[in-house]
Amino acid sequence: MTYTTPFTKWLELDSGKVKDPALIQQRHLSDLKGLFADSEAEAALLETNPLVYEVYLAYDGEAQEGQLGYSTTLIYPGKVGNEYFFTKGHYHAKADRAELYYCLKGEGYLLMQSPDGEVNAQSMSAGAGSYVPPYWGHRTVNTGQEPFVFLAVYPADAGYDYGSIADKGFASILVEKEGKAELVTNPNAASRS
Ligand code: PAN
Ligand code: ZN
């Protein structure tokens, strides 16, 4: 038996970034192509192809059962049409793996969807510790004016299944209406399923 040596990674509270990250993943709008409801607004914004979010990986737990992975995600403020910037969203490849999100900065929502299509949206701001139960697909959405930053802690063997959300989208989306975030039915979700 070899034991993993304990360690500490610093999550910088001002920037939301991890110091000495194992990996930085950047997602521009082109990486999210086809996911926003307003395809004309998406095409127009693709000309400047803004950075939508970044993931700072602190540790991946070597994808081993029993280990934990953890990272911070920074979603920048912005919209495609009236729909707020979001992460791609996924189910876990090992679908029964849960996850904890802890908000460090900004404001947004943790949008979840069960395999039978039930939608749940948790409002998050600094201090919110929101739980993603086993089997729920999850996406985060920045509904504020500043970067929305959260720590994610998950079983290292959870993995990612992006396919079904990329194909069908979420049943609900978050849009700005009269200056406020509103959860509405995704006009594209039904036609894609
Ligand atoms: C998070 C997410 C991260 C980026 O660490 O991976 O916020 O979102 P996407 O993976 O959907 O692009 C997590 O849920 N890990 O399991
Ligand atoms: Zn996850």
Side-chain angles (χ1 to χ4, degrees):
M1 179 85 186
T2 51
Y3 298 100
T4 303
T5 304
F7 63 91
T8 296
K9 283 277 187 173
W10 290 92
L11 315 180
E12 298 171 344
L13 294 174
D14 282 346
S15 67
K17 297 176 178 175
V18 174
K19 201 173 166 210
D20 301 324
L23 188 78
I24 302 172
Q25 192 175 48
Q26 295 193 318
R27 299 276 191 215
H28 290 83
L29 184 60
S30 54
D31 300 307
L32 303 171
K33 208 167 167 224
L35 294 182
F36 288 94
D38 183 341
S39 51
E40 278 178 27
E42 187 185 88
L45 199 57
L46 270 170
E47 292 190 11
T48 54
N49 197 20
L51 178 62
V52 178
Y53 64 98
E54 295 182 282
V55 178
Y56 281 75
L57 181 67
Y59 184 55
D60 69 358
E62 295 166 16
Q64 284 174 359
E65 185 177 358
Q67 298 261 25
L68 295 173
Y70 62 115
S71 60
T72 60
T73 301
L74 292 76
I75 310 178
Y76 292 99
K79 281 177 291 173
V80 176
N82 62 359
E83 188 176 8
Y84 296 101
F85 277 7
F86 54 52
T87 56
K88 274 176 124 171
H90 58 271
Y91 290 86
H92 289 149
K94 290 201 169 147
D96 65 352
R97 299 312 198 246
E99 182 159 5
L100 179 74
Y101 278 12
Y102 181 73
C103 182
L104 301 170
K105 261 177 121 75
E107 50 188 83
Y109 281 83
L110 167 58
L111 191 58
M112 290 174 278
Q113 185 164 305
S114 74
D116 55 16
E118 185 183 340
V119 171
N120 187 291
Q122 296 294 316
S123 171
M124 295 183 76
S125 55
S130 301
Y131 186 62
V132 181
Y135 299 106
W136 287 75
H138 42 287
R139 160 180 287 168
T140 38
V141 186
N142 184 349
T143 55
Q145 317 284 326
E146 309 293 329
F148 172 48
V149 182
F150 59 89
L151 164 71
V153 184
Y154 48 94
D157 65 347
Y160 304 89
D161 168 11
Y162 289 104
S164 54
I165 287 169
D167 292 347
K168 294 184 188 161
F170 267 79
S172 301
I173 60 173
L174 277 153
V175 296
E176 185 183 76
K177 277 201 183 156
E178 290 160 13
K180 281 205 221 145
E182 201 172 298
L183 189 68
V184 299
T185 302
N186 182 353
N188 295 340
S191 61
R192 285 191 202 154
S193 60

